[in-house]
Amino acid sequence: MGSSIRKAIELILSADPELLNILSTTAKVCLTSSILALVLGVPIGILLGAERFPGRKVLLVLNRTLIGMPPVVCGLLFYMLFSGVGPFRHLHWLFTVKLMILAQVVLITPIIVGVMETFVADTAPALRETTRGLGFGRLKEYRLLMNECLYSIFSAYLLSFARAIAEVGAVAMVGGAIAWKTNVMTTAIMMYTNRGSFTLGIALGLILLTLSLLVNIVLSVMQGRLSR
Amino acid sequence: MKTTAFTKTYNKRVVLNLPELELPKGQITAVIGPNGSGKSTFAKILAGIERADDRRPVLSGVSVGYLPQKSFPFRMSTEKNILQNGNDPACASALMKALGIEALAGQSAKKLSGGETARMALCRILMRRYALLILDEPTAAMDMESTLAAEECIRRYCDETGCGVLLITHSISQAKRLADQIIVLHEGKLIEQGDTERVLASPREEQTRRFLEFFGV
Ligand SMILES: Nc1ncnc2c1ncn2[C@@H]1O[C@H](COP(=O)(O)OP(=O)(O)OP(=O)(O)O)[C@@H](O)[C@H]1O
Ligand SMILES: [Mg+2]
């Protein structure tokens, strides 16, 4: 055990080309999907939290269901849509980074929507009473609401990024864990462990844990900063 | 300014049923009444934040400013909060000075104490001229010194702008100091309206008399 960890650290320090490739694929997939999810999820979440319209409750239940969706189920869905019998087979997206990103967007956007909705539903009524009392228009009301949301947006983003980087079901299904092409950290850990080689798996595991630690440190620092 | 008669029902309970009311310009009208008598609901309906049962505006064609019972500080400094309602730094610092929060200008408004938040919120609403200004217990969280300073600011605002002020308060002494006219609400109904001195000295209604007795009037 101790010697495998030492070997894993050596592997990280030696900048092993396959390891680097896995890291860059992971970064490409997770950063793109989380940013797309942010762009989609923040406005939807704010609208769901701030406005009252028919069908809102239904959308909230739907969103909560999507938050709980197992990644493999999401992967299965996209596999079927884009495989040889699916309606989108002509795009040839199966086993590409593109489809991995798409599957992850569907997987993590609901998290951002959920975080934003909860925060805004809590904040908007009191804020609105004040802004309307002052005679501000809708535009200014939303600008001030966004300003209140800054920390939530930030933590929603990190949460969704963490989910993207940690999930394996969806990317494995639609990406196929093809070495040098669609292999990301989590799928690589599975692949190498199945082959009986633990070193790369441990190295990747260490990197993942370090990343998670960093994310949480940044979160707790920003919480103090942005809630002021 | 005249408000139309209206009712307001929450969960099948009529919480407010008011006749037409005259709110004179350039005067301060105090609204008094026990907890739950409908004062804040009245204020919200006048401000257009809540709607009366018939969904028609109770007061139309006038700009209304409304300071809620619980103020919301925006996530920015005290001074920036105040400047949200009109970019006039000189006016803002004069108001902050009058209310004794000029030293807190740069502090994050979220970190203000209860009374400081109330003073910030009062400065913020006084930045602009409204035809009718509704203040829902603006001094409830303030100490005596700040309360008197706030009253002076409200009086001056009313005199200088000539707008009408509706002041909701639980303090009879405050009503006595500030108000030209008093409205008494009880269980959602108007039970008395008249000049401050007259209402406090010789209330026409039994319920007003009983309500005032608690204050030793
Ligand atoms: N959104 C609401 N839903 C249901 N009932 C409400 C709502 N808002 C107010 N009420 C009820 O209407 C009544 C009047 O409330 P309101 O806040 O106007 O009282 P108030 O005179 O301002 O009291 P206080 O002196 O405590 O501020 C209360 O009985 C309250 O419970
Ligand atoms: Mg009230």
Side-chain angles (χ1 to χ4, degrees), chain B residues 10-11 13 15 33-42 44 50 69 136-137 168 170 185:
Chain B
Y10 279 128
N11 313 324
R13 186 164 66 95
V15 296
N35 289 146
S37 54
K39 304 180 297 297
S40 295
T41 307
F42 179 40
K44 282 180 206 159
E50 294 274 351
Q69 192 164 358
D136 195 348
E137 301 188 30
I168 298 171
H170 280 297
L185 295 187

Short mmCIF file of all heavy atoms in Angstrom, two decimals, chain B residues 10-11 13 15 33-42 44 50 69 136-137 168 170 185, ligand 1:
data_model
loop_
_atom_site.label_atom_id
_atom_site.label_comp_id
_atom_site.label_asym_id
_atom_site.label_seq_id
_atom_site.Cartn_x
_atom_site.Cartn_y
_atom_site.Cartn_z
N TYR B 10 -57.43 37.57 3.78
CA TYR B 10 -56.39 36.53 3.76
C TYR B 10 -57.02 35.23 4.22
O TYR B 10 -57.61 35.19 5.30
CB TYR B 10 -55.26 36.87 4.72
CG TYR B 10 -54.23 37.86 4.21
CD1 TYR B 10 -53.91 38.98 4.96
CD2 TYR B 10 -53.57 37.66 3.00
CE1 TYR B 10 -52.95 39.89 4.51
CE2 TYR B 10 -52.62 38.55 2.55
CZ TYR B 10 -52.31 39.66 3.31
OH TYR B 10 -51.36 40.54 2.87
N ASN B 11 -56.88 34.18 3.46
CA ASN B 11 -57.43 32.87 3.85
C ASN B 11 -58.87 32.99 4.38
O ASN B 11 -59.19 32.54 5.46
CB ASN B 11 -56.57 32.21 4.92
CG ASN B 11 -55.10 32.26 4.58
OD1 ASN B 11 -54.72 32.14 3.41
ND2 ASN B 11 -54.27 32.47 5.59
N ARG B 13 -60.32 35.27 5.75
CA ARG B 13 -60.53 36.15 6.89
C ARG B 13 -60.35 37.60 6.42
O ARG B 13 -59.33 37.93 5.84
CB ARG B 13 -59.51 35.83 8.00
CG ARG B 13 -59.72 36.60 9.30
CD ARG B 13 -58.93 35.92 10.43
NE ARG B 13 -57.48 36.00 10.20
CZ ARG B 13 -56.71 36.96 10.73
NH1 ARG B 13 -57.23 37.89 11.51
NH2 ARG B 13 -55.41 36.97 10.50
N VAL B 15 -59.13 40.93 6.86
CA VAL B 15 -58.22 41.55 7.81
C VAL B 15 -58.27 43.07 7.72
O VAL B 15 -57.74 43.76 8.59
CB VAL B 15 -56.76 41.07 7.61
CG1 VAL B 15 -56.64 39.59 7.88
CG2 VAL B 15 -56.25 41.42 6.23
N GLY B 33 -52.78 51.44 16.40
CA GLY B 33 -53.66 50.29 16.55
C GLY B 33 -52.87 49.11 17.05
O GLY B 33 -51.66 49.04 16.85
N PRO B 34 -53.54 48.15 17.72
CA PRO B 34 -52.82 47.01 18.30
C PRO B 34 -52.20 46.09 17.23
O PRO B 34 -52.47 46.23 16.05
CB PRO B 34 -53.89 46.27 19.10
CG PRO B 34 -55.20 46.79 18.63
CD PRO B 34 -54.97 48.13 18.02
N ASN B 35 -51.37 45.15 17.67
CA ASN B 35 -50.78 44.16 16.77
C ASN B 35 -51.88 43.44 16.00
O ASN B 35 -52.91 43.07 16.55
CB ASN B 35 -50.00 43.09 17.56
CG ASN B 35 -48.72 43.64 18.17
OD1 ASN B 35 -48.32 43.21 19.25
ND2 ASN B 35 -48.09 44.56 17.50
N GLY B 36 -51.63 43.27 14.72
CA GLY B 36 -52.59 42.52 13.91
C GLY B 36 -53.81 43.31 13.50
O GLY B 36 -54.75 42.75 12.94
N SER B 37 -53.82 44.62 13.77
CA SER B 37 -55.01 45.41 13.42
C SER B 37 -55.02 45.76 11.94
O SER B 37 -56.00 46.32 11.44
CB SER B 37 -55.07 46.68 14.28
OG SER B 37 -53.87 47.41 14.16
N GLY B 38 -53.94 45.46 11.23
CA GLY B 38 -53.94 45.66 9.79
C GLY B 38 -53.15 46.86 9.30
O GLY B 38 -53.23 47.23 8.14
N LYS B 39 -52.32 47.43 10.16
CA LYS B 39 -51.56 48.62 9.79
C LYS B 39 -50.60 48.36 8.64
O LYS B 39 -50.58 49.08 7.64
CB LYS B 39 -50.78 49.16 11.00
CG LYS B 39 -51.65 49.46 12.23
CD LYS B 39 -50.82 49.99 13.39
CE LYS B 39 -49.78 49.02 13.92
NZ LYS B 39 -50.34 47.77 14.49
N SER B 40 -49.81 47.28 8.78
CA SER B 40 -48.82 46.99 7.73
C SER B 40 -49.51 46.58 6.43
O SER B 40 -49.06 46.93 5.34
CB SER B 40 -47.88 45.88 8.18
OG SER B 40 -47.11 46.31 9.28
N THR B 41 -50.60 45.84 6.55
CA THR B 41 -51.34 45.44 5.36
C THR B 41 -51.87 46.67 4.63
O THR B 41 -51.78 46.77 3.41
CB THR B 41 -52.51 44.52 5.76
OG1 THR B 41 -51.99 43.45 6.56
CG2 THR B 41 -53.21 43.95 4.54
N PHE B 42 -52.38 47.62 5.39
CA PHE B 42 -52.85 48.89 4.83
C PHE B 42 -51.71 49.57 4.06
O PHE B 42 -51.87 50.00 2.91
CB PHE B 42 -53.35 49.78 5.98
CG PHE B 42 -53.85 51.14 5.56
CD1 PHE B 42 -54.59 51.31 4.40
CD2 PHE B 42 -53.57 52.26 6.35
CE1 PHE B 42 -55.05 52.58 4.03
CE2 PHE B 42 -54.02 53.51 5.98
CZ PHE B 42 -54.76 53.67 4.81
N LYS B 44 -48.99 48.23 2.79
CA LYS B 44 -48.60 47.48 1.59
C LYS B 44 -49.59 47.68 0.46
O LYS B 44 -49.21 47.72 -0.72
CB LYS B 44 -48.48 45.99 1.91
CG LYS B 44 -47.19 45.65 2.63
CD LYS B 44 -47.12 44.18 2.94
CE LYS B 44 -46.24 43.95 4.15
NZ LYS B 44 -46.50 42.67 4.79
N GLU B 50 -49.22 44.80 -2.07
CA GLU B 50 -50.32 43.85 -2.00
C GLU B 50 -51.51 44.49 -2.72
O GLU B 50 -51.56 45.71 -2.88
CB GLU B 50 -50.72 43.59 -0.53
CG GLU B 50 -49.68 42.90 0.28
CD GLU B 50 -49.74 41.38 0.16
OE1 GLU B 50 -50.74 40.88 -0.43
OE2 GLU B 50 -48.82 40.72 0.63
N GLN B 69 -41.71 47.42 7.47
CA GLN B 69 -41.47 47.26 8.90
C GLN B 69 -40.09 46.63 9.14
O GLN B 69 -39.40 46.96 10.08
CB GLN B 69 -42.57 46.38 9.49
CG GLN B 69 -42.61 46.35 11.00
CD GLN B 69 -43.93 45.79 11.53
OE1 GLN B 69 -44.85 45.46 10.77
NE2 GLN B 69 -44.04 45.67 12.83
N ASP B 136 -43.43 52.39 7.97
CA ASP B 136 -44.01 51.38 8.86
C ASP B 136 -43.09 51.18 10.07
O ASP B 136 -42.07 50.51 9.98
CB ASP B 136 -44.20 50.06 8.10
CG ASP B 136 -45.12 49.10 8.85
OD1 ASP B 136 -45.41 49.36 10.04
OD2 ASP B 136 -45.55 48.10 8.25
N GLU B 137 -43.46 51.79 11.17
CA GLU B 137 -42.70 51.74 12.42
C GLU B 137 -41.21 52.00 12.18
O GLU B 137 -40.36 51.18 12.50
CB GLU B 137 -42.89 50.39 13.11
CG GLU B 137 -44.36 50.11 13.43
CD GLU B 137 -44.55 48.85 14.29
OE1 GLU B 137 -43.64 48.52 15.07
OE2 GLU B 137 -45.61 48.22 14.16
N ILE B 168 -46.79 54.80 10.59
CA ILE B 168 -47.34 53.76 11.45
C ILE B 168 -46.48 53.69 12.70
O ILE B 168 -45.25 53.65 12.62
CB ILE B 168 -47.34 52.41 10.72
CG1 ILE B 168 -48.23 52.50 9.48
CG2 ILE B 168 -47.79 51.30 11.65
CD1 ILE B 168 -48.15 51.30 8.57
N HIS B 170 -46.29 52.58 17.19
CA HIS B 170 -46.88 52.09 18.43
C HIS B 170 -46.63 53.09 19.56
O HIS B 170 -46.91 52.79 20.72
CB HIS B 170 -46.28 50.73 18.81
CG HIS B 170 -46.88 49.60 18.05
ND1 HIS B 170 -48.21 49.26 18.15
CD2 HIS B 170 -46.35 48.73 17.16
CE1 HIS B 170 -48.46 48.22 17.37
NE2 HIS B 170 -47.35 47.89 16.75
N LEU B 185 -56.79 52.13 13.95
CA LEU B 185 -57.32 50.89 13.39
C LEU B 185 -57.54 49.88 14.50
O LEU B 185 -56.77 49.82 15.47
CB LEU B 185 -56.35 50.28 12.37
CG LEU B 185 -56.06 51.04 11.07
CD1 LEU B 185 -55.22 50.18 10.15
CD2 LEU B 185 -57.35 51.46 10.39
N1 LIG C 1 -49.59 37.26 3.94
C1 LIG C 1 -50.51 37.03 4.91
N2 LIG C 1 -51.21 35.89 4.92
C2 LIG C 1 -52.15 35.67 5.88
N3 LIG C 1 -52.45 36.52 6.86
C3 LIG C 1 -51.79 37.68 6.89
C4 LIG C 1 -50.78 38.00 5.93
N4 LIG C 1 -50.28 39.22 6.21
C5 LIG C 1 -50.93 39.64 7.32
N5 LIG C 1 -51.84 38.73 7.73
C6 LIG C 1 -52.75 38.87 8.87
O1 LIG C 1 -53.41 40.11 8.76
C7 LIG C 1 -53.54 40.71 10.02
C8 LIG C 1 -52.98 42.12 9.97
O2 LIG C 1 -51.55 42.04 9.83
P1 LIG C 1 -50.64 43.33 9.80
O3 LIG C 1 -49.27 42.90 9.54
O4 LIG C 1 -51.25 44.31 8.87
O5 LIG C 1 -50.77 43.86 11.30
P2 LIG C 1 -50.13 45.14 11.99
O6 LIG C 1 -51.23 46.02 12.40
O7 LIG C 1 -49.08 45.71 11.11
O8 LIG C 1 -49.45 44.50 13.28
P3 LIG C 1 -48.07 44.86 14.03
O9 LIG C 1 -48.39 45.95 14.98
O10 LIG C 1 -47.74 43.61 14.74
O11 LIG C 1 -47.07 45.23 13.00
C9 LIG C 1 -52.83 39.83 11.03
O12 LIG C 1 -53.79 39.11 11.74
C10 LIG C 1 -51.99 38.91 10.18
O13 LIG C 1 -51.89 37.65 10.76
#
